Amino acid sequence: MYLIGYDIGSSSVKAALLDADTGVCVATATSPAQEMPMQAPQAGWAEQDPERWWQEVQHATRLLHQQQPFDGHTVAGIGIAYQMHGLVCVDKDEQVLRPSIIWCDSRAVSIGNKAFAQLGQEYCLEHLLNSPGNFTASKLRWVQENEPALYERIDKIMLPGDFIAMRLTGEACTTVSGLSEGIFWDFAAGSVSQPLLDFYKIDRSLLSTIVPTFGIQGRLTEAAARLLGLAPGIPVTYRAGDQPNNAFSLNVLQPGEAATTAGTSGVVYAVHDQIAFDEESRVNTFVHVNNETGTGIRNGVLMCLNGTGILNSWLRSMTGSLPYAEMNTLAAKAPAGSAGLRIYPFGNGAERILANKDGGASIQNLQFNIHQKEHLLRAAQEGIVFALRYGVDIMTQMQMNIQRVRAGHANMFLSPLFRQVFANTLNVVIELYNTDGAQGAARAAGVGAGCYGVADAFKGMECIATVEPDAGQAQYQEIYAAWLEGMQ
């Protein structure tokens, strides 16, 4: 039997086919070959067409069939991971009404700030564990205020993964974890937050039915099965936002364990067994994927840096479209600290760790007669790590002690330089695994389909490298301190 996992990112859709018995990934696919664009009709906006995600799911599935021919009847379950915090609006015929307002869109910041003040910080932090900020609920309020005629046509709102699940099964549903990432969930009451809905004048009927994170959430329709070359009736048995799913992918499920990723955005995500929040909501607490499994409170505390891989991608386009591997090699030729060159990677919308300010990226200390391409490339990698450290320091203030993190051997963690700077600056040990979000979604689908329990979901996954702080650690503490001064 096989398991299929999809990871619906903002750059691409990844798909993985796993052998359910061995846990070995037998085929992977990414679609499209080039990164999907984000539309920015105005400064600070970021949108994508949800139907484009669905088209790429279809193409990625066809690529799986080409790599590893398999009978669609042998698929035991499908899992979905997805870019968090996006808003998808559909009408009663399940047709998309407008482009999705995605995770890095900043238009609703002022709406969320107003809610934080008027609902009250005490209620928001003690019940929602977050400011409504720039999250899905605030984005929906923006649509209500600015596109009232369209708003009246909305039958259901959903997160990106909910939309893909609906295209697969024909059913609109969501999870508690998903509602928490949209800032719809009241942790204290254990239900959807009625005070938030009342404040935003959102009718509860717009929210989808709640289903468990693991378990049968719907079955593949005949129409979807034909498009994917699969069999009708295959169950969708798991869905989660990309960062909770990345943590699951890396077997980060217990208090004190932490995962990190550096794709379009950069994240450090740690599991906590307490109801905890940052007073300024610069890092955010959501329901983790295993919170419903009888293990006690399992929340995920997430710090997110929007401008991570997208900075590297921008530099690539500015420097002649070098292969990323060549960029990494070139960056390693520059000295530690990039000869004083500093990059502040805050150029992809409002940054939560900066209290939802959108100050743009900046370069400091550029000297035309000193700095070359390699300095710029290294300064970018260092600046990303330093910004991640800045966020982790906030998590430390929440009594979270992160000493070891797990990451997939992918994206910016493919760079030996990036890995070592990360270990030295954060003073942590990094464990790199042969996995990614799509494989994690497939493993989780196996749990949801009853193929095995959580403890058995990680067979076939291996730690392929460990990176520890080295002799450069003390130097990087000084370089980081200088970078931090430049933020003032």
Side-chain angles (χ1 to χ4, degrees):
M1 297 297 292
Y2 293 105
L3 299 161
I4 293 178
Y6 296 111
D7 186 0
I8 316 301
S10 47
S11 297
S12 63
V13 169
K14 296 178 181 176
L17 182 70
L18 256 67
D19 183 313
D21 292 328
T22 65
V24 173
C25 181
V26 296
T28 62
T30 300
S31 184
Q34 302 297 321
E35 295 176 359
M36 284 190 291
M38 299 180 192
Q39 284 74 47
Q42 295 187 32
W45 291 20
E47 300 182 342
Q48 287 184 320
D49 179 6
E51 295 293 359
R52 175 69 185 271
W53 306 331
W54 176 228
Q55 292 168 12
E56 302 305 340
V57 165
Q58 295 171 51
H59 186 236
T61 309
R62 289 194 291 270
L63 293 175
L64 291 182
H65 282 289
Q66 292 173 16
Q67 286 185 43
Q68 177 73 28
F70 63 98
D71 185 339
H73 292 85
T74 62
V75 177
I78 295 172
I80 303 168
Y82 58 89
Q83 50 173 298
M84 297 171 71
H85 316 305
L87 171 68
V88 181
C89 303
V90 301
D91 65 16
K92 60 183 177 57
D93 297 318
E94 299 183 348
Q95 297 305 301
V96 175
L97 291 170
R98 70 171 329 282
S100 174
I101 303 174
I102 65 171
W103 58 278
C104 56
D105 186 288
S106 305
R107 74 186 74 183
V109 168
S110 61
I111 291 173
N113 289 344
K114 180 179 178 181
F116 194 41
Q118 295 189 7
L119 263 175
Q121 292 190 22
E122 181 178 351
Y123 173 80
C124 290
L125 294 177
E126 293 185 3
H127 289 257
L128 308 177
L129 305 192
N130 302 284
S131 162
N134 195 35
F135 296 106
T136 312
S138 300
K139 291 168 182 171
L140 179 59
R141 176 63 176 172
W142 183 94
V143 174
Q144 185 186 70
E145 291 181 355
N146 293 274
E147 300 173 346
L150 183 147
Y151 183 87
E152 289 301 317
R153 297 170 57 200
I154 298 174
D155 182 65
K156 294 295 179 189
I157 65 100
M158 53 194 67
L159 298 157
D162 300 334
F163 172 76
I164 294 300
M166 185 188 70
R167 282 287 175 261
L168 292 169
T169 67
E171 298 180 25
C173 51
T174 192
T175 64
V176 169
S177 180
L179 290 168
S180 76
E181 75 176 70
I183 317 301
F184 290 106
W185 191 250
D186 186 322
F187 285 76
S191 64
V192 171
S193 169
Q194 194 61 47
L196 178 80
L197 296 183
D198 291 343
F199 182 82
Y200 276 163
K201 300 185 171 112
I202 295 170
D203 193 294
R204 174 69 175 80
S205 67
L206 295 185
L207 303 182
S208 301
T209 302
I210 300 173
V211 295
T213 298
F214 299 93
I216 296 177
Q217 303 174 349
R219 293 183 180 274
L220 206 60
T221 64
E222 291 188 4
R226 283 195 301 271
L227 291 171
L228 299 173
L230 300 175
I234 295 172
V236 173
T237 55
Y238 167 82
R239 85 185 68 177
D242 53 8
Q243 299 311 324
N245 176 72
N246 182 61
F248 177 87
S249 305
L250 295 160
N251 195 13
V252 170
L253 297 168
Q254 303 307 325
E257 297 177 340
T260 184
T261 184
T264 306
S265 64
V267 164
V268 177
Y269 180 104
V271 180
H272 207 11
D273 59 358
Q274 304 296 319
I275 301 295
F277 53 82
D278 170 45
E279 293 281 355
E280 298 178 56
S281 203
R282 296 165 298 173
V283 302
N284 303 104
T285 302
F286 306 118
V287 174
H288 195 31
V289 295
N290 63 332
N291 191 66
E292 305 163 4
T293 57
T295 54
I297 293 172
R298 292 293 182 269
N299 290 329
V301 179
L302 182 154
M303 68 116 318
C304 178
L305 170 67
N306 292 355
T308 305
I310 196 169
L311 167 59
N312 219 29
S313 174
W314 180 83
L315 282 174
R316 181 173 182 263
S317 68
M318 295 294 107
T319 55
S321 296
L322 293 173
Y324 285 119
E326 190 172 333
M327 290 171 62
N328 294 336
T329 300
L330 195 57
K333 293 181 179 179
S338 306
L341 187 66
R342 300 173 189 159
I343 290 183
Y344 296 83
F346 307 119
N348 192 25
E351 291 285 359
R352 289 181 234 159
I353 58 172
L354 302 181
N356 274 332
K357 293 183 176 64
D358 184 0
S362 62
I363 301 174
Q364 291 185 5
N365 299 340
L366 177 62
Q367 298 292 328
F368 299 126
N369 60 346
I370 295 175
H371 296 124
Q372 305 298 318
K373 188 183 298 183
E374 57 264 31
H375 297 94
L376 188 65
L377 295 173
R378 182 171 189 131
Q381 295 200 18
E382 291 177 334
I384 290 165
V385 170
F386 296 159
L388 292 171
R389 160 70 188 272
Y390 181 84
V392 169
D393 285 348
I394 299 170
M395 297 171 75
T396 301
Q397 294 167 19
M398 295 171 63
Q399 309 305 311
M400 304 193 74
N401 182 21
I402 298 174
Q403 298 181 342
R404 182 176 294 265
V405 298
R406 298 172 188 165
H409 191 235
N411 300 317
M412 295 198 71
F413 280 98
L414 293 171
S415 166
L417 171 66
F418 184 84
R419 299 194 298 257
Q420 195 60 62
V421 173
F422 188 103
N424 284 345
T425 304
L426 277 72
N427 189 26
V428 296
V429 176
I430 306 170
E431 297 175 355
L432 294 172
Y433 288 84
N434 61 336
T435 191
D436 59 22
Q439 291 184 47
R443 294 181 189 281
V447 175
C451 297
Y452 35 67
V454 172
D456 302 315
F458 304 100
K459 58 186 176 182
M461 190 177 82
E462 298 177 355
C463 181
I464 58 176
T466 300
V467 183
E468 299 185 6
D470 65 11
Q473 180 187 357
Q475 182 183 16
Y476 264 103
Q477 300 308 307
E478 295 176 1
I479 296 169
Y480 170 68
W483 181 92
L484 197 58
E485 288 181 4
M487 284 186 61
Q488 307 308 319

